[in-house]
Amino acid sequence: MLFRLLADATAAVHLAFVGYVVVGGFLAWRWPRTLWLHLLAFGWGFGTVLIGFDCPLTYLEDWARRRAGQQGLPPSGFIDHYLTGVIYPDSALTLVRALVAVTVLVSWAGFAWRLRDSRTPARR
């Protein structure tokens, strides 16, 4: 029972992390000091998807599910198991990745715009 709870909690944290990778730049508009955290999260997320870094959350969930007597995650990992083919079709993977990248870039551009505006003296 404890391992199943650990696995489920890890999956929830992992989903929240993926969500933060996508929209965390917009949160930095409100809380600018969190931008560095978003940069780190995006770098890690980018690395796991495109370069193939092993994600410790995927490993922890897989381990806990197996200890709970459940089937572990497939070798393709968390995103392929919970999102690809479930939230969006397999055929849209490239489009979804591009939309995520555009969303992150827009959030960073907006952050820079807001930062520039906050440092520009008001015109009279």
Side-chain angles (χ1 to χ4, degrees), residues 24-110:
F26 292 109
L27 295 175
W29 291 15
R30 174 69 175 95
W31 298 286
R33 291 182 180 174
T34 65
L35 183 65
W36 67 269
L37 184 60
H38 185 254
L39 292 170
L40 291 172
F42 178 78
W44 184 261
F46 181 84
T48 59
V49 170
L50 295 179
I51 299 171
F53 296 155
D54 290 334
C55 180
L57 291 172
T58 300
Y59 174 80
L60 178 61
E61 181 187 351
D62 184 62
W63 176 82
R65 291 217 181 278
R66 290 179 191 280
R67 289 287 207 156
Q70 298 178 325
Q71 183 177 357
L73 291 176
S76 56
F78 178 86
I79 290 176
D80 285 345
H81 182 68
Y82 289 110
L83 303 178
T84 305
V86 177
I87 304 294
Y88 52 86
D90 292 337
S91 60
L93 179 60
T94 301
L95 175 62
V96 168
R97 285 181 177 174
L99 289 173
V100 166
V102 167
T103 301
V104 170
L105 291 174
V106 165
S107 74
W108 290 348

